[in-house]
Amino acid sequence: MVLILDGKKINSEIKQDLSTKIAIKIADGYAKPCLAIVQIGNTKESTKYIEHKKKFGHAIGVEVLHIHLPDTVKTSDVLTEIQSLNTDDAVHGIIIQLPLPKHIDRDTIIEAVAPEKDVDGLTSENIRGLWTNDKGYILPATARAVLTMLEYYNIDVSGKKVVVIGRSTLVGKPTAIALMNKGATVTVCHSGTKKLSDHTLEADIIISAVGFPRLIDEHFVRPHQVVVDVGITFIKDEEVDKVHGDVDFKAVSEIVAAISPVPGGVGPLTVSSLFQNVFDAYERKISK
Ligand code: NAP
């Protein structure tokens, strides 16, 4: 029988674990952890994701500051805001909610976040830490979620052939490098890859982070493989937005050894991974 990699279950265990750890810190007299989310403009999707993060944060005892700036704001004004969050001792983590409006200089804004508060792991210092496998760097939440999911089910990646499909800065690349750091032999595929199935059929573990529904069907997999579906695509079905992964779950789950569903897989785990990053940043700060 196929093993379902249940992101919801792991998410609720992490949520419980973080709540307990935070309650202990507060009982010991420390202030609450605090995450600041900087939003520019009113993208519907961003607002939805922020609401979700606020809800999760409040449920585990993290204070979430939502700094909502109009989309007419200048890069220099955003930088001033970030500087003030960087120097505020009560703030432990900062997120710049992406995407940003076109007139905002994304790289400058991201780089302005203090690396020790960069809980999205996007500053050059954290990327360097990922490349060099330094201690204490902050791994982007989605990559951390993938690693956590595999670890939870005792799926050792060391020495395994892993195919990561997708090479984005936010998801594919950090996931691939983090897996390499754990001893996996990693192949990264992308839109220019010829005969994707030649690669996926060779893999022990397939991680798909593309955003193309049913890209991976029964022709891309074989028995004994583990498939982690990171993809999220919303498709309207009878006026309701339904979420789809990259993998044809029904066809693939009949063949492989383990598979993560969408919804209920990496998605819920990404939020808890983000708050693990916040808690780690908080712990590092208060233990100084
Ligand atoms: P992205 O920036 O659009 O990157 C998509 C990647 O897929 C690119 O590297 C692209 O290749 C590659 N690709 C496109 N078509 C392909 C094909 N036919 N075959 C092989 N590779 C192909 O997206 P992203 O930000 O990395 O996100 C990827 C997916 O994960 C999206 O569905 C997103 O919604 C989802 N996501 C999920 C979570 C979660 O919590 N579960 C978190 C973040 C993102 P090129 O580089 O050649 O263009």
Side-chain angles (χ1 to χ4, degrees):
M1 247 228 343
V2 67
L3 170 68
I4 305 295
L5 306 174
D6 186 348
K8 266 194 189 162
K9 179 170 175 244
I10 313 170
N11 173 56
S12 75
E13 288 183 23
I14 293 175
K15 199 169 180 181
Q16 185 55 55
D17 178 57
L18 287 173
S19 300
T20 308
K21 285 177 172 158
I22 291 166
I24 291 170
K25 293 288 179 204
I26 293 166
D28 284 347
Y30 292 104
K32 276 183 165 187
C34 174
L35 169 67
I37 305 177
V38 180
Q39 179 182 16
I40 305 170
N42 281 307
T43 314
K44 210 174 105 197
E45 283 296 296
S46 292
T47 305
K48 198 173 83 186
Y49 286 131
I50 291 169
E51 285 310 315
H52 196 43
K53 287 169 191 167
K54 278 186 184 168
K55 199 170 155 202
F56 190 102
H58 292 148
I60 62 167
V62 172
E63 192 174 334
V64 181
L65 295 180
H66 182 186
I67 293 117
H68 196 171
L69 305 170
D71 59 8
T72 49
V73 76
K74 291 193 201 120
T75 297
S76 57
D77 298 328
V78 186
L79 286 176
T80 308
E81 192 65 56
I82 294 171
Q83 283 316 330
S84 113
L85 295 170
N86 282 345
T87 52
D88 185 343
D89 279 342
V91 172
H92 306 95
I94 302 171
I95 287 177
I96 310 297
Q97 188 67 41
L98 301 174
L100 296 176
K102 284 203 171 58
H103 71 280
I104 298 287
D105 183 345
R106 179 188 184 277
D107 292 347
T108 305
I109 294 296
I110 286 173
E111 203 50 30
V113 176
E116 68 277 12
K117 296 189 181 187
D118 165 34
V119 288
D120 268 342
L122 297 176
T123 56
S124 55
E125 182 149 341
N126 280 312
I127 293 171
R128 189 193 58 77
L130 171 63
W131 278 86
T132 54
N133 200 14
D134 273 357
K135 265 198 180 144
Y137 74 86
I138 302 175
L139 182 64
T142 311
R144 184 168 182 167
V146 171
L147 259 55
T148 300
M149 177 175 268
L150 295 172
E151 264 167 36
Y152 184 89
Y153 287 99
N154 295 318
I155 299 165
D156 186 8
V157 301
S158 178
K160 300 280 172 55
K161 285 186 194 167
V162 181
V163 164
V164 176
I165 315 169
R167 58 174 167 182
S168 71
T169 310
L170 292 180
V171 185
K173 278 181 190 148
T175 304
I177 297 166
L179 287 162
M180 203 194 304
N181 288 343
K182 292 238 163 226
T185 302
V186 181
T187 302
V188 179
C189 299
H190 45 79
S191 66
T193 300
K194 296 213 165 60
K195 274 214 102 197
L196 182 60
S197 60
D198 282 356
H199 299 278
T200 58
L201 287 166
E202 278 284 307
D204 299 305
I205 302 170
I206 301 167
I207 317 280
S208 188
V210 175
F212 192 101
R214 300 215 171 96
L215 175 70
I216 306 302
D217 63 15
E218 67 272 26
H219 305 293
F220 289 74
V221 297
R222 58 172 175 76
H224 310 300
Q225 290 179 310
V226 173
V227 178
V228 176
D229 190 353
V230 183
I232 294 179
T233 308
F234 291 97
I235 299 176
K236 268 216 184 323
D237 184 4
E238 291 174 0
E239 290 310 299
V240 180
D241 269 343
K242 286 221 167 137
V243 64
H244 295 261
D246 293 346
V247 179
D248 182 338
F249 183 85
K250 193 168 179 301
V252 169
S253 62
E254 282 172 14
I255 300 170
V256 300
I259 183 168
S260 72
V262 176
V266 178
L269 212 45
T270 299
V271 184
S272 42
S273 300
L274 167 70
F275 280 92
Q276 285 182 312
N277 282 349
V278 173
F279 185 76
D280 291 349
Y282 167 75
E283 262 206 320
R284 277 193 293 270
K285 168 82 182 159
I286 63 177
S287 64
K288 266 188 186 166

